[in-house]
Structure formats: C-alpha cells, structure tokens
C-alpha cells in the first residue's frame, strides 16, 4: 500500500474528491473558445500561457479558438511545496514576443488571492498592448484579496486546494485528467 504513487492513490483509491470531471472541463472550454473566437474576430490576438499550471488549459483552449492567433508563455513562481500563497510573485521566464499594440489574452489556471493576475496586469500594461484580457479556468470565489475582474472564467470554485489538469501539489499530479479537491 505504502509504495503506491500519489497518482495511484488519487485515481484508484478515491483519495481526493473529483471537483470538476473531464467532460465538464471539455464542455466549458468549448464554450469559452467560442466566446473568445467571437470577441477577437479579425484581431489576431497573442495568447500567453502562464506556466506551469496553465499549460494544459492553454493547449485545449486554443484548439477551440477558431481565428488566427499567436502564442507565447511566461513563467511565474508557484507556491513551491506550500498550499497557501507566500504573497510574493516572481517572474521566472519572460515572454519573447513584442506585445506593443497587440491584443493580449493571458491564460491562467486558477485565480486564488488575485495577486498573480494583478502583477501580470501591471507588467503587461507597461508594454502598451492594444488590449489586455485574462482567462482563467478556475477562480476561488470567496478568496480574492485583490479586487480584479477576470474577463473569462471557466468555473467558480469554493476555497479548497485543488490538483490535476495542470495544477500540482509539490510538482506532481498535474497529469490527472480532472480537477480534484485535496484537503
Ligand atoms: P494567486 O496569486 O491568485 O493567489 O494564485 C495564483 C497561482 O497560485 C495559480 O496560478 C496557481 O499556480 C497557484 N494556486 C492557487 N490556488 C491553487 C490551488 O488550489 N491548487 C494549486 N495546485 N495551485 C494553486
């Protein structure tokens, strides 16, 4: 029993509760893709994924956006091994694209305190984009310490630590197919 991996314990022992099933994620991403395609028609946006957590969502989302777009990635410091935000956000990898006068759409996995999106907004506003919007797969409804409007939200979720579908705990469990609550 003890030599089972975390992945096996989550999936096969039902250790964690499924919060959002894979089918629900797929359906919602299809809707978001449709909405974003309509909103950006004729604009050739640059879609910027926030690593590491946002990579799966970004990959699935852009396949449902039916207009020309470009991509890039930025990497922010994560929670490390903790389950709560340290309150500090560092940029670990910068984008390569020039986003001046471009329509920028930033793709986040989850908005918790709102600190990361606030830091990103400040950083990207300074590049003088034509527009700047945010899409996040998840948002913790009760939690936001920072007052910030997210343009497109996949799911509002209660204040639990979640893993799977790109989201990690101590760098593992990102490859789980659904979003699970880990209390
Ligand atoms: P914020 O700056 O809004 O507090 O946190 C945003 C970042 O913290 C997310 O991009 C994500 O990396 C991490 N995060 C926040 N809540 C959770 C959670 O419930 N689970 C996991 N795995 N990461 C989280």
């Amino acid at each position: 029993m003890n030599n089972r991996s975390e992945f096996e314990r989550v999936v096969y022992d039902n250790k964690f509760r499924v919060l959002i099933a894979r089918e629900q994620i797929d359906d919602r991403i299809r809707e978001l893709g449709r909405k974003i395609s309509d909103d950006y028609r004729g604009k050739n946006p640059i879609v910027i994924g926030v690593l590491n957590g946002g990579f799966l969502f970004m990959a699935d989302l852009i396949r449902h956006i039916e207009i020309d777009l470009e991509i890039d990635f930025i990497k922010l410091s994560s929670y490390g091994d903790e389950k709560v935000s340290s309150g500090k956000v560092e940029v670990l990898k910068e984008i390569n694209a020039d986003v001046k006068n471009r329509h920028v759409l930033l793709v986040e996995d989850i908005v918790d305190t709102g600190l990361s999106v606030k830091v990103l907004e400040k950083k990207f506003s300074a590049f003088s984009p034509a527009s700047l919007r945010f899409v996040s797969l998840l948002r913790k409804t009760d939690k936001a310490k920072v007052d910030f409007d997210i343009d497109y939200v996949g799911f509002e979720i209660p204040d639990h630590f979640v893993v799977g579908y790109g989201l990690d705990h101590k760098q593992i469990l990102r490859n789980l197919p659904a979003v699970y609550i880990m209390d």
Side-chain angles (χ1 to χ4, degrees), residues 21 41 46 71 114 152:
R41 211 160 292 282
I46 177 150
I71 65 158
Y152 309 94

Side-chain angles (χ1 to χ4, degrees), residues 50-54 76-80 82-89 107-120 136 138 140 143-146 157-164 166-170 172 174 179-180 182:
V50 182
L51 297 172
N52 286 336
L76 299 186
S77 55
S78 75
Y79 287 6
E82 304 304 317
K83 287 192 198 163
V84 287
S85 168
S86 65
K88 273 185 276 165
V89 180
V107 183
E108 267 279 17
D109 52 353
I110 184 166
V111 176
D112 181 4
T113 62
L115 200 66
S116 304
V117 283
K118 194 79 206 161
V119 167
L120 288 168
S136 183
L138 308 171
K140 290 185 189 171
K143 193 73 182 290
K145 285 187 190 131
V146 181
I157 64 166
D159 185 15
H160 291 287
F161 189 77
V162 291
V163 294
L167 291 139
D168 75 311
H169 176 53
K170 301 188 182 180
I172 58 171
R174 294 189 197 276
V179 174
Y180 295 79
M182 177 180 178

Side-chain angles (χ1 to χ4, degrees), residues 80-142:
D81 287 354
E82 304 304 317
K83 287 192 198 163
V84 287
S85 168
S86 65
K88 273 185 276 165
V89 180
E90 265 178 87
V91 178
L92 303 179
K93 178 209 168 291
E94 297 281 354
I95 55 163
N96 298 109
D98 180 3
V99 297
K100 189 173 165 59
N101 297 326
R102 299 293 307 272
H103 294 282
V104 174
L105 178 62
L106 279 150
V107 183
E108 267 279 17
D109 52 353
I110 184 166
V111 176
D112 181 4
T113 62
L115 200 66
S116 304
V117 283
K118 194 79 206 161
V119 167
L120 288 168
E121 188 207 28
K122 197 163 169 226
K123 182 178 177 64
F124 278 84
S125 296
F127 296 145
S128 306
S131 70
L132 180 59
R133 286 188 182 171
F134 287 84
V135 53
S136 183
L137 178 68
L138 308 171
R139 177 168 63 186
K140 290 185 189 171
T141 311
D142 311 326

